[in-house]
Amino acid sequence: YSASQENQSNELYFYHANYTGSILAGYYNGYSGVVPDATVYCAGYKTNAIEPVDALISKGINVLSISLAIAPEGVYNGYGYFSKYLDYISFYYKTLICIGSSNSSSTPSGMPESAFAYNAITVGNINDMNTLEQSDDLLDIQSLYNVSNTKAYKPDLCAPGTCVKTSYTPNGGGGTSAATPVVSGI
């Protein structure tokens, strides 16, 4: 599931959906997605983010991979109605939800409310700098820290998401949008 926001052009929406879909299930010219034989559905939204999720659930999907920041009411760094809705979907329909925490450069105001669903796996991006050495690895994530003990409670985990090459982007792309379908596929 890839979401489109109202202010994004159709071209950007389809690019993002094709890119994340190719990471999850693509196979072409030597590039293979995490689950190359999976069926991928794409859904976008203009004003109501719940309608496309309902449509996907009605098709019987069991994994939602959400790679865009969704904050329908402009809620950042907090639990809102869309987070509650994702928790309901996860629990009631036994659906695995993996959602990007958002990149620090694209949402400077913090994590979108979609990343706060308790029953979702919120994914951050790790850039291994294309080396085996771990000391130079960088985390590109939005995270929220518990004020009392300064331990992050979102994102839940980080995955490689920098310079991910696919059939759709042979030169690579990246961020939490790429890390999320990696986790969804696994």
Side-chain angles (χ1 to χ4, degrees):
Y1 165 65
S2 292
S4 166
Q5 294 172 328
E6 190 169 22
N7 61 349
Q8 292 182 318
S9 70
N10 282 340
E11 183 178 322
L12 179 59
Y13 165 67
F14 286 115
Y15 172 83
H16 192 266
N18 284 329
Y19 175 59
T20 58
S22 65
I23 293 168
L24 184 59
Y27 182 79
Y28 176 76
N29 200 20
Y31 293 99
S32 178
V34 180
V35 187
D37 61 343
T39 300
V40 175
Y41 295 95
C42 175
Y45 76 94
K46 287 193 176 201
T47 56
N48 184 343
I50 291 175
E51 286 177 2
V53 174
D54 283 346
L56 293 169
I57 294 297
S58 73
K59 292 185 179 296
I61 62 103
N62 57 4
V63 175
L64 281 173
S65 182
I66 303 174
S67 290
L68 282 180
I70 302 175
E73 294 183 315
V75 175
Y76 285 84
N77 296 324
Y79 189 75
Y81 86 89
F82 193 71
S83 307
K84 293 173 188 174
Y85 171 73
L86 292 176
D87 281 335
Y88 166 78
I89 291 297
S90 176
F91 179 78
Y92 188 79
Y93 292 101
K94 308 295 185 236
T95 301
L96 172 66
I97 300 171
C98 294
I99 189 159
S101 67
S102 191
N103 303 315
S104 54
S105 60
S106 62
T107 54
S109 52
M111 273 198 299
E113 80 167 79
S114 55
F116 282 88
Y118 295 108
N119 296 323
I121 298 171
T122 302
V123 182
N125 171 41
I126 187 165
N127 180 352
D128 70 1
M129 305 302 287
N130 210 19
T131 68
L132 295 175
E133 182 62 42
Q134 290 182 336
S135 63
D136 66 348
D137 291 356
L138 298 174
L139 294 178
D140 178 21
I141 58 171
Q142 286 286 8
S143 61
L144 190 68
Y145 290 86
N146 182 319
V147 176
S148 63
N149 62 13
T150 66
K151 291 185 180 177
Y153 62 92
K154 287 289 184 178
D156 298 299
L157 57 91
C158 293
T162 302
C163 295
V164 176
K165 295 179 181 182
T166 72
S167 58
Y168 194 72
T169 55
N171 294 326
T176 60
S177 288
T180 301
V182 169
V183 173
S184 301
I186 292 170

